């Protein structure tokens, strides 16, 4: 499955400045692995040492926060847009 | 992304920033890992995504110097990331709101000493004018072209008004189901009120994406958030100063994203560190509405893991389902011996009327939530009634009239005659 991933500013050093890149995978975990194969080290910024989503990052598959779905096991259908966004407080 | 400033080096910012643009601020430091970046429009730690906060080299500040300052938040300018000439720039000059001793409410609830810090009297009638004033200063110093925010309503009001006064273009984003008065209160100040089909968390996501793409936009609570958040400290400073330079024993604060609560705690700690108040323990309590209470749920479950929720409550200003500062709220409330509690929408409505009937203060749903939680904490014994307590009213009731308009109204409709009045039985 080919998906597009929106990259937050602080991770664009890994993608050569690209704000949107494509990746392959049926689940978010697989997409992150594929992303890491192309942009080495990027996965370790999104996941912590235990391999879980870092506290202050929100990942969306389509418009849904994966914490409402299956977290890293969330399915990533072909063509879906994935967004990686820092969590910010203050509304 | 806004390339307003290089973000990977520490120390004094260069790139066109004037000397002292951020006052005594030294750098932005990650609250999680301590990593520092230069002062600029950065908000997430490049190492761990943790929130960046303003770190300072504070000078010596005396009570007298502060007391000699203006009767607004700029009296604390030495402790904020703003230039020394901040008073020369048009702003809404919020702050120095009243701290009222609430004897009637205290009697009603069985508390010995209670104060209401009434922030509903700020220029756009919520505490958000404080944070926006600091964000506006940062936006100016960074030469931003657009002043923007995602908001649950009050912030949009404050951004739109401050931007109008400063003569900078504003674009404010809100959930489309927001209370009508809050929509009007923004639209009257700006051509660019954007209603988004979704809840606050959706609006926040959109704003983060725009902030990542558009140059020259200062989103007050996204890319200039570290500066914005510092404005909330002034609530804490004022409470201490108005109590005669001492800290209260207990304080009850509403929680949406959790930013304000953490900044009141930061303010108290700074005052202690600066020797402006005596060091003493104080308990911090957080208030949520049950329909959006992820922090309260985590508090009661005894965990650090905050599960996001889809909000469903009349307390729309507190309806943030994925509160980024939630874990800090848990930590502060637990460590200080406080708690986080939540109440139902009916209890929110009751508390709005209670505060109005006891103290003559008309609060919005956020204040209803806070006063209602205060009541619940007393009833459950979690709050010590012998200790001096402060409750914060963060917004004005005219913004959420619908919340109580079904419960209050004319007791009778009578003809304009004395006989009709007598017949009504009111006497
Ligand atoms: C009136 C009012 N009180 C309290 C809050 C909560 O603020 P925070 O997000 O800093 O927890 C808000 C947030 O919008 C608000 O509008
Ligand atoms: Zn960090």
């Amino acid at each position: 499955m080919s998906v597009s991933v929106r990259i937050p500013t602080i991770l664009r050093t890994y993608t050569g400045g690209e704000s949107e890149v494509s990746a392959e995978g049926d689940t978010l975990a697989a997409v992150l692995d594929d992303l890491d194969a192309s942009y080495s080290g990027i996965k370790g910024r999104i996941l912590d040492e235990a391999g879980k989503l870092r506290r202050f990052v929100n990942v969306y598959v389509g418009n849904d926060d994966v914490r409402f779905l299956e977290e890293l096991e969330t399915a990533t259908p072909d063509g879906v847009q994935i967004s990686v966004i820092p969590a910010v407080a203050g509304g | 992304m806004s390339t307003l400033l290089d973000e990977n080096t520490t120390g004094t910012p260069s790139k066109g920033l004037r000397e002292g643009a951020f006052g005594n601020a030294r750098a932005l430091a990650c609250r999680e890992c301590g990593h520092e970046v230069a002062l600029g429009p950065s908000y997430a730690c490049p190492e761990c995504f943790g929130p960046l906060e303003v770190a300072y080299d504070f000078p010596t500040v005396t009570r007298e110097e502060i007391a000699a300052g203006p009767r607004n938040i700029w009296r604390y300018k030495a402790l904020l990331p703003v230039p020394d000439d901040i008073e020369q720039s048009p702003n809404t000059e919020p702050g120095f709101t009243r701290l009222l001793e609430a004897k009637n409410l205290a009697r009603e609830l069985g508390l010995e000493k209670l104060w209401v810090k009434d922030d509903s009297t700020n220029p756009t009638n919520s505490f958000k004018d404080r944070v926006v004033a600091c964000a506006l200063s940062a936006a100016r110093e960074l030469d931003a072209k657009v002043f923007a925010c995602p908001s649950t309503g009050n912030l949009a009001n404050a951004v739109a008004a401050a931007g109008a006064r400063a003569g900078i273009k504003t674009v404010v984003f809100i959930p489309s189901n927001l209370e009508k008065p809050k929509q009007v209160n923004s639209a009257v100040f700006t051509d660019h009120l954007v209603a988004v089909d979704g809840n606050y968390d959706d609006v926040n996501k959109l704003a983060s994406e725009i902030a990542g793409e558009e140059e020259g936009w200062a989103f007050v609570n996204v890319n200039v958030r570290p500066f914005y958040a510092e404005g909330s400290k002034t609530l804490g400073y004022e409470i201490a100063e108005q109590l005669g330079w001492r800290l209260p024993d207990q304080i009850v604060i509403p929680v949406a994203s959790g930013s304000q609560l953490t900044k009141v705690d930061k303010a108290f700690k700074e005052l202690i560190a600066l020797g402006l108040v005596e060091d003493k323990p104080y308990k911090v309590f957080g208030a949520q509405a049950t329909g959006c209470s992820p922090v309260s749920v985590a508090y009661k479950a005894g965990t650090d893991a905050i599960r996001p929720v889809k909000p469903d409550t009349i307390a729309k200003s507190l309806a943030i389902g994925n509160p980024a500062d939630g874990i800090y709220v848990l930590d502060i409330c637990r460590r200080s011996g406080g708690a986080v509690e939540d109440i139902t929408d009916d209890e929110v409505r009751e508390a709005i009327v209670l505060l109005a009937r006891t103290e003559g203060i008309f609060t919005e749903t956020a204040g209803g939530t806070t006063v209602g939680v205060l009541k619940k904490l007393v009833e459950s014994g979690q709050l010590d009634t012998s200790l001096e307590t402060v409750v914060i009213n963060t917004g004005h009731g005219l913004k959420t009239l619908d919340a109580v308009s079904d419960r209050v109204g004319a007791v009778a409709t009578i003809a304009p005659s004395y006989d009709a009045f007598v017949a009504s039985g009111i006497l």
Side-chain angles (χ1 to χ4, degrees):
Chain A
M1 302 291 153
S2 180
V3 299
S4 75
V5 185
R6 292 193 64 81
I7 306 295
T9 321
I10 54 173
L11 294 185
R12 289 182 196 164
T13 46
Y14 290 90
T15 60
E18 290 296 320
S19 62
E20 187 150 2
V21 298
S22 53
E24 304 280 328
D26 291 343
T27 62
L28 179 58
V31 167
L32 291 179
D33 283 338
D34 186 54
L35 209 55
D36 205 62
S38 313
Y39 309 103
S40 178
I42 196 166
K43 188 172 99 172
R45 309 310 279 276
I46 299 169
L47 306 183
D48 64 18
E49 292 70 24
K52 299 191 41 171
L53 273 183
R54 285 185 187 273
R55 253 180 188 171
F56 288 94
V57 69
N58 295 327
V59 179
Y60 297 81
V61 171
N63 282 326
D64 294 313
D65 185 332
V66 299
R67 289 193 173 92
F68 284 110
L69 304 171
E70 310 289 312
E71 307 244 345
L72 289 171
E73 295 316 313
T74 301
T76 50
D78 201 33
V80 82
Q81 169 146 314
I82 296 172
S83 303
V84 178
I85 294 179
V88 283
Chain B
M1 141 86 184
S2 42
T3 47
L4 295 173
L5 197 79
D6 179 82
E7 49 178 77
N8 285 319
T9 47
T10 52
T12 316
S14 50
K15 290 222 177 150
L17 273 180
R18 67 178 175 133
E19 187 71 22
F22 299 115
N24 298 310
R26 175 175 56 78
L28 299 177
C30 174
R31 180 154 181 169
E32 289 290 293
C33 77
H35 180 83
E36 293 196 355
V37 305
L39 294 162
S42 309
Y43 60 102
C45 173
E47 297 297 319
C48 76
F49 278 95
L52 296 175
E53 291 204 338
V54 180
Y56 298 87
D57 286 325
F58 281 139
T60 312
V61 187
T62 65
R63 293 175 179 179
E64 291 69 31
E65 280 160 5
I66 291 170
R71 291 179 68 81
N72 59 49
I73 62 170
W74 303 139
R75 67 203 283 107
Y76 308 107
K77 68 184 176 186
L79 310 178
L80 298 171
V82 300
D84 201 46
D85 61 1
I86 182 69
E87 289 143 86
Q88 311 308 314
S89 313
N91 214 310
T92 58
E93 277 117 43
F96 226 70
T97 55
R98 54 198 191 163
L99 180 74
L100 297 169
E101 188 171 357
K103 288 193 175 154
N104 298 332
L105 182 59
R107 198 179 314 114
E108 185 77 25
L109 299 181
L111 283 159
E112 263 168 48
K113 197 150 188 85
L114 176 67
W115 304 86
V116 178
K117 176 62 173 170
D118 184 15
D119 240 27
S120 69
T121 62
N122 273 314
T124 68
N125 304 103
S126 86
F127 84 100
K128 294 291 186 183
D129 292 311
R130 299 174 182 273
V131 281
V132 167
C134 291
L136 177 58
S137 174
R140 240 191 214 115
E141 299 298 335
L142 293 165
D143 204 22
K145 302 294 177 265
V146 182
F147 197 45
C149 67
S151 170
T152 61
N154 285 311
L155 181 58
N157 297 172
V159 164
R165 194 161 145 68
I168 177 171
K169 176 177 172 176
T170 54
V171 183
V172 300
F173 299 85
I174 53 162
S176 57
N177 74 348
L178 216 57
E179 298 96 340
K180 185 84 180 167
K182 283 186 185 150
Q183 302 203 25
V184 174
N185 263 301
S186 291
V188 76
F189 299 118
T190 180
D191 285 342
H192 303 99
L193 167 69
V194 182
V196 177
D197 278 329
N199 58 37
Y200 173 80
D201 298 291
D202 299 317
V203 183
N204 190 28
K205 167 181 180 266
L206 172 63
S208 297
E209 290 184 320
I210 298 171
E213 301 310 321
E214 298 303 318
E215 290 194 15
W217 282 52
F219 273 93
V220 302
N221 49 344
V222 183
N223 56 347
V224 294
R225 180 193 116 84
F227 305 98
Y228 155 98
E230 290 295 284
S232 275
K233 293 192 307 185
T234 60
L235 250 171
Y237 297 152
E238 284 177 23
I239 289 166
E241 184 179 354
Q242 290 169 321
L243 286 175
W245 292 109
R246 57 189 182 78
L247 302 181
D249 301 318
Q250 305 180 129
I251 183 159
V252 190
I253 308 174
V255 173
S257 69
S259 176
Q260 192 205 341
L261 185 145
T262 66
K263 295 302 165 177
V264 168
D265 179 62
K266 190 179 186 200
F268 286 178
K269 291 217 183 76
E270 284 175 357
L271 293 179
I272 293 170
L274 288 161
L276 288 164
V277 299
E278 207 173 295
D279 193 356
K280 67 165 253 200
Y282 55 86
K283 297 181 186 180
V284 183
F285 295 85
Q288 297 207 295
T290 307
C292 182
S293 52
V295 187
S296 174
V297 166
Y299 173 82
K300 290 174 185 175
T303 72
D304 276 343
I306 295 176
R307 296 233 24 111
V309 300
K310 303 267 187 216
D312 179 16
T313 169
I314 57 163
K316 291 185 180 152
S317 51
L318 302 183
I320 297 183
N322 190 7
D325 277 353
I327 56 158
Y328 300 133
V329 169
L330 286 176
D331 181 49
I332 289 165
C333 293
R334 284 184 179 136
R335 222 177 353 86
S336 70
V340 189
E341 185 55 277
D342 59 272
I343 55 167
T344 65
D345 284 1
D346 268 340
E347 289 170 310
V348 172
R349 294 186 186 96
E350 264 168 43
I352 290 174
V353 177
L354 174 67
L355 180 63
R357 301 251 162 116
T358 52
E359 298 300 340
I361 298 171
F362 187 17
T363 183
E364 72 143 273
T365 48
T369 304
T370 315
V371 170
V373 161
L374 168 71
K375 179 168 184 269
K376 187 165 176 180
L377 290 167
V378 170
E379 286 165 358
S380 65
Q382 294 178 82
L383 203 104
D384 186 338
T385 53
S386 70
L387 295 178
E388 185 173 33
T389 306
V390 171
V391 61
I392 301 184
N393 171 31
T394 46
H396 203 289
L398 288 174
K399 294 194 188 196
T400 61
L401 267 184
D402 282 355
V404 289
S405 53
D406 287 346
R407 326 195 130 212
V408 296
V411 61
T413 303
I414 61 172
S417 76
Y418 182 69
D419 286 349
F421 174 60
V422 173
S424 74
I426 292 166
L427 273 180

